[in-house]
Amino acid sequence: MSRAEMDALGWDSCDIILITGDAYIDHPSFGMALVGRLLEAQGYRVGIISQPDWTSVEPFRALGKPNLYWGITAGNMDSMVNRYTADRKIRSDDAYTPDAAPNKRPDRAVTVYCQRAREAFPGVPVIAGSIEASLRRIAHYDYWSDKVRRSVLFESKADLVIFGNAERALVDVTRRIAAGENIKDIRDLRGTAFLVPQGWLPDEEWSVHNSTRVDVPGRIDKQPNPYAMALEDPKACALDNAAPEPVAKPVVIMTREQRQAAAREKAAKTVVRLPSFETVSEDPVMYAHASRVFHLESNPGNARALVQAHGDRDVWLNPPPLPLAMDEMDNVYDLNYARAPHPSYGKAHIPAWEMIRYSVNIMRGCFGGCTFCSITEHEGRIIQSRSEPSILREIELIRDTTKNFAGTITDLGGPTANMYRLACKEKKIEESCRRLSCVYPTICSNLGTDHSKLISLYRKARAIPGIKKILIGSGLRYDLAVRSPEYVKELVTHHVGGLLKIAPEHTEQGTLSKMMKPGIGAYDEFKRMFEKFSLEAGKKQYLIPYFIAAHPGCTDEDMLNLALWLKKNNFKLDQVQTFTPTPMAMATTMYHSRKNPLAKVTEDSEVVETARSGKVRKAHKAFLRYHDPANWPILRETLTKMGRGDLIGNGERHLIPAWHPSEETGQPVSERKRVVPGNVPMSERETAKRGPAAARPGVRGAGGRADRAPAAPAASTAARPSILATIKTKPKADVKQKSGRR
């Protein structure tokens, strides 16, 4: 972090200098610490420059010239997601910065840091990594500039991008550079991307497969008539007879294993050419096609290399890295971490550190495949788990060394809470699979859903002396959990601190199908089990559901039905989120192209309508917080346009009130508008002029004044349906069918 520290260690230079957009926290949950400790364990001298001032080159020279290379990362988050809200507004704080100070990192930090590092010491190799570089390795739609941008390799001028689980590739490339090999010649490492001249191939044995043929049938040759004369022209017949005899090739009958081995050997020497940057930047259909092909080539067991032209150069992507074995995971997490922020930060409050300081990461990866999430594209679909002893050792280390530890572990998890050690029943099946999700549209019959190893881990963890409570803070995959009632009972009885976060994301099937999430019936089933086991344990505990607004495929009617479901179940959500299109996620493809990459993409394929305008997105988010007075004006306007003014009123059957004194719009009372259930907007000034009789039938302003809250409606001549009656219900047979699919 400083020259003084280098002098104390007796270093005259660093072999590798890592640059990060986060505060430096020496904990395995922070990528920079993990990478630094890993390289240190290999015998290299590693320096770290945290959150440098990118407006000048001098901070990048603070530790001198690195002997081997620069390692560049934006931090644990994509810098654009970190700095901007879903409405493209700059955030007021940064959880990865001391005292949550904002503006300590630039937009597109990987690109800026790479350029500054190259400027500081020209000629030193530059390697980019982390989630930002990983998710921008090919041409990608960028939500913040609303256009398709080139690969980060072009913008950053990095020599190499390492994506996914980088440990193995990082150690290999470091050793080879240290041995004198030029980084431009390192082209055979899995999980790496780099620029090459257009048409470049590793050797003559490689072949190129055009991705546009993946979903399009090839040429169909006309079948000859076996009874027709082959050649009736005598001259042609003579020529035919003079032709050399064809070389006879024996028919080889191969076993299934031999055919599969031949296919794997061919795939290992095949690169799939994606449509060029110039094509996908102008043609949304081709962008969606490229996205579909990219995700189909994501299983390390059968993925082929990918190449995409950018002008006169190609971006070459080697197949994804192979998952880390359990002992490799243990070695990474058992390194000598200080498990604390760097001392230079003093007593500064770093929110991200406070959140994870008493938590333990037990696994990586996610086979859920949710289209709005980028975990799968970064960490992969195959679960990589630590061993039980390694996890228990870390819990003991937290107990013995972490300051102010009170006996509670806040989380044993990772991308999900309950995928620990879950895997395909057979390795061969896993390596040949090309499904985008192991749990959608149904849980794969080859997926092991036995939670017994996780139950065992929970029991051993809470039995450690000095450990009072083990909580589970990671998101729960409830459609998997219900397959193991014993796990749900264990979780609910011992590991819930009153509230459990769970993410149905939506209630409507049309939207859920674009998310690749299970139907709301799976949530209902888990809720029944949760309440049953909470009652048996004598505890009052509650589920906190999370939902996403304005997701691709979500209509105004979908959001209305979700709001009605929330009111029916008496949920008043506090924290809600609007869909943010992140690079390379499949839902981002839907947002940009209006096409569905979950199926074959053509000009005539399914159109996915998406809320893109700020006003519609705001209305969708407002439905999630229907109870908030600040949202009532926009909801009244939206409901009126939808022809659902019957949901505006002051009774239990209504979603939002016609008007309430808690509303403060900043306008004079006389200028406020009221929307009545009859879909007739009426200013309060008009109502006052025309008298109480001009108000909605059955409603009278208190004391005859229009600026007061209307009294409860009098008995209406026509009975209105209860709000519960507006909830869409499904036939029992359909519910049973859904239950069977889970």
Side-chain angles (χ1 to χ4, degrees):
M1 287 282 286
S2 67
R3 277 283 189 176
E5 289 176 286
M6 289 176 61
D7 293 340
L9 293 168
W11 296 359
D12 59 349
S13 63
C14 295
D15 296 321
I16 302 132
I17 296 179
L18 305 176
I19 300 175
T20 176
D22 293 341
Y24 180 59
I25 299 174
D26 195 7
H27 186 283
S29 291
F30 292 82
M32 195 57 17
L34 189 148
V35 166
R37 290 299 183 185
L38 176 68
L39 293 172
E40 179 192 48
Q42 300 296 315
Y44 300 103
R45 295 176 295 183
V46 182
I48 293 176
I49 300 177
S50 170
Q51 297 186 316
D53 177 7
W54 67 92
T55 61
S56 168
V57 73
E58 289 308 315
F60 293 79
R61 293 174 175 152
L63 302 183
K65 181 179 179 179
N67 300 325
L68 300 180
Y69 63 82
W70 295 98
I72 310 294
T73 168
N76 272 25
M77 290 178 64
D78 184 290
S79 61
M80 301 304 287
V81 178
N82 180 283
R83 293 200 70 218
Y84 295 90
T85 69
D87 298 324
R88 299 190 179 100
K89 295 179 180 178
I90 294 182
R91 298 184 190 274
S92 58
D93 56 8
D94 183 342
Y96 291 88
T97 300
D99 292 324
N103 303 318
K104 292 295 184 180
R105 73 186 77 218
D107 289 354
R108 301 180 181 88
V110 165
T111 293
V112 175
Y113 290 160
C114 284
Q115 293 171 351
R116 278 288 187 244
R118 196 172 290 283
E119 183 182 351
F121 294 105
V124 177
V126 176
I127 300 177
S130 81
I131 192 166
E132 179 170 314
S134 182
L135 298 183
R136 297 172 183 266
R137 57 189 185 264
I138 62 170
H140 56 279
Y141 173 73
D142 182 82
Y143 170 65
W144 298 272
S145 57
D146 194 24
K147 67 178 184 179
V148 176
R149 299 180 73 97
R150 297 186 299 174
S151 164
V152 71
L153 281 159
F154 274 89
E155 298 190 343
S156 68
K157 310 299 182 185
D159 295 294
L160 197 70
V161 164
I162 300 181
F163 58 85
N165 300 288
E167 289 90 347
R168 208 180 282 120
L170 189 63
V171 171
D172 286 348
V173 75
T174 305
R175 288 174 176 172
R176 290 168 68 169
I177 293 175
E181 191 170 351
N182 191 317
I183 193 170
K184 302 289 186 184
D185 298 328
I186 301 176
R187 296 290 182 256
D188 57 345
L189 292 178
R190 297 182 72 108
T192 59
F194 42 85
L195 294 177
V196 292
Q198 194 172 63
W200 176 88
L201 294 173
D203 57 52
E204 295 180 355
E205 296 182 6
W206 279 74
S207 60
V208 180
H209 183 79
N210 190 334
S211 73
T212 57
R213 298 177 183 173
V214 171
D215 285 336
V216 180
R219 186 186 66 183
I220 301 177
D221 295 322
K222 184 179 179 180
Q223 295 296 319
N225 184 350
Y227 300 103
M229 294 296 293
L231 292 169
E232 297 182 357
D233 185 353
K235 294 181 180 180
C237 185
L239 292 173
D240 185 55
N241 291 334
E245 288 290 328
V247 178
K249 294 183 179 181
V251 176
V252 179
I253 299 176
M254 302 173 68
T255 65
R256 180 185 178 188
E257 288 73 17
Q258 289 174 322
R259 290 196 304 273
Q260 290 176 339
R264 284 195 295 269
E265 185 177 352
K266 182 179 179 181
K269 293 284 186 176
T270 300
V271 60
V272 177
R273 180 166 287 280
L274 300 173
S276 68
F277 161 73
E278 290 74 16
T279 299
V280 300
S281 63
E282 297 177 358
D283 188 342
V285 174
M286 292 304 290
Y287 182 94
H289 163 78
S291 174
R292 174 170 170 78
V293 173
F294 175 87
H295 285 84
L296 289 173
E297 299 293 338
S298 61
N299 182 347
N302 57 52
R304 295 168 289 186
L306 299 173
V307 66
Q308 184 180 50
H310 285 58
D312 60 353
R313 303 189 75 187
D314 283 342
V315 173
W316 183 284
L317 283 74
N318 281 327
L322 296 173
L324 296 182
M326 184 175 285
D327 61 338
E328 291 177 305
M329 284 279 285
D330 287 353
N331 289 337
V332 168
Y333 284 90
D334 287 346
L335 293 171
N336 188 29
Y337 301 97
R339 306 189 68 84
H342 191 269
S344 63
Y345 300 129
K347 296 182 178 180
H349 171 68
I350 305 176
W353 159 243
E354 299 297 332
M355 183 178 69
I356 61 90
R357 65 187 304 180
Y358 305 130
S359 68
V360 178
N361 196 336
I362 65 175
M363 47 77 68
R364 284 185 192 168
C366 179
F367 49 67
C370 300
T371 61
F372 51 82
C373 180
S374 299
I375 290 174
T376 303
E377 286 76 21
H378 182 57
E379 294 187 0
R381 288 183 173 82
I382 298 173
I383 302 303
Q384 302 157 79
S385 301
R386 297 169 61 185
S387 71
E388 201 175 74
S390 174
I391 296 167
L392 298 178
R393 283 197 299 271
E394 183 170 352
I395 294 174
E396 292 174 343
L397 193 63
I398 293 173
R399 177 198 63 190
D400 298 338
T401 63
T402 305
K403 187 177 180 181
N404 299 325
F405 179 64
T408 298
I409 298 294
T410 55
D411 188 27
L412 289 183
T416 57
N418 60 319
M419 288 186 183
Y420 177 71
R421 299 190 69 173
L422 298 189
C424 193
K425 293 178 180 178
E426 291 188 30
K427 193 68 176 176
K428 289 184 178 179
I429 296 175
E430 178 185 89
E431 291 176 347
S432 62
C433 180
R434 294 178 73 81
R435 281 182 60 158
L436 296 176
S437 170
C438 297
V439 292
Y440 185 87
T442 60
I443 295 177
C444 180
S445 59
N446 294 310
L447 177 66
T449 58
D450 179 14
H451 285 56
S452 60
K453 292 183 176 65
L454 186 54
I455 294 171
S456 172
L457 175 63
Y458 286 177
R459 290 173 177 171
K460 291 180 180 179
R462 69 172 184 265
I464 294 175
I467 300 300
K468 300 176 182 177
K469 188 80 173 177
I470 302 281
L471 298 175
I472 303 304
S474 298
L476 189 77
R477 189 77 196 201
Y478 51 85
D479 52 341
L480 285 173
V482 296
R483 292 287 187 96
S484 177
E486 185 184 3
Y487 169 74
V488 179
K489 183 175 182 178
E490 189 77 16
L491 174 74
V492 171
T493 305
H494 300 287
H495 302 285
V496 176
L499 303 175
L500 179 68
K501 293 184 294 186
I502 195 169
E505 309 296 5
H506 216 283
T507 58
E508 303 306 292
Q509 191 55 42
T511 305
L512 290 169
S513 68
K514 301 303 183 294
M515 295 177 167
M516 289 212 299
K517 290 283 288 186
I520 197 65
Y523 167 83
D524 293 333
E525 185 175 350
F526 179 80
K527 183 173 181 287
R528 286 192 294 271
M529 297 177 69
F530 179 87
E531 291 173 347
K532 174 178 180 290
F533 292 128
S534 293
L535 184 63
E536 291 179 1
K539 296 183 176 181
K540 288 185 177 181
Q541 301 183 141
Y542 305 92
L543 291 176
I544 304 298
Y546 280 71
F547 297 92
I548 295 178
H551 191 276
C554 182
T555 64
D556 293 349
E557 288 74 17
D558 289 339
M559 290 308 303
L560 170 58
N561 283 316
L562 173 51
L564 295 174
W565 184 90
L566 291 171
K567 183 160 186 177
K568 174 186 176 182
N569 289 275
N570 197 31
F571 281 125
K572 294 183 178 180
L573 306 181
D574 183 24
Q575 294 182 338
V576 299
Q577 60 180 358
T578 306
F579 169 69
T580 303
T582 53
M584 273 182 14
M586 298 194 83
T588 301
T589 298
M590 299 178 199
Y591 178 92
H592 168 62
S593 68
R594 297 175 66 242
K595 291 292 181 179
N596 184 4
L598 302 178
K600 177 181 174 180
V601 178
T602 67
E603 291 283 354
D604 302 323
S605 62
E606 179 188 3
V607 175
V608 180
E609 296 295 348
T610 302
R612 293 180 64 94
S613 75
K615 188 170 184 179
V616 176
R617 286 167 63 85
K618 184 178 180 181
H620 280 207
K621 185 177 181 180
F623 273 118
L624 292 179
R625 287 180 50 79
Y626 65 91
H627 56 280
D628 185 350
N631 293 324
W632 292 343
I634 191 171
L635 288 178
R636 291 191 192 110
E637 180 181 350
T638 303
L639 290 171
T640 301
K641 288 180 179 179
M642 294 171 64
R644 294 307 306 270
D646 58 297
L647 294 175
I648 304 171
N650 302 305
E652 284 299 317
R653 63 180 178 271
H654 301 116
L655 179 64
I656 58 172
W659 184 80
H660 195 275
S662 64
E663 295 181 73
E664 291 294 339
T665 63
Q667 296 176 302
V669 170
S670 60
E671 294 297 324
R672 294 178 187 158
K673 289 188 176 181
R674 296 172 56 198
V675 180
V676 297
N679 298 338
V680 182
M682 184 184 300
S683 72
E684 294 180 338
R685 179 179 295 173
E686 291 175 3
T687 306
K689 286 181 179 179
R690 295 164 59 187
R696 176 170 52 88
V699 176
R700 178 184 299 170
R705 292 180 56 186
D707 60 337
R708 298 289 184 93
S716 176
T717 55
R720 292 183 181 273
S722 163
I723 192 169
L724 303 187
T726 66
I727 301 291
K728 294 198 301 186
T729 58
K730 297 181 173 62
K732 291 184 178 180
D734 193 28
V735 174
K736 289 180 180 178
Q737 184 181 4
K738 281 192 173 186
S739 179
R741 289 204 302 269
R742 293 194 303 276

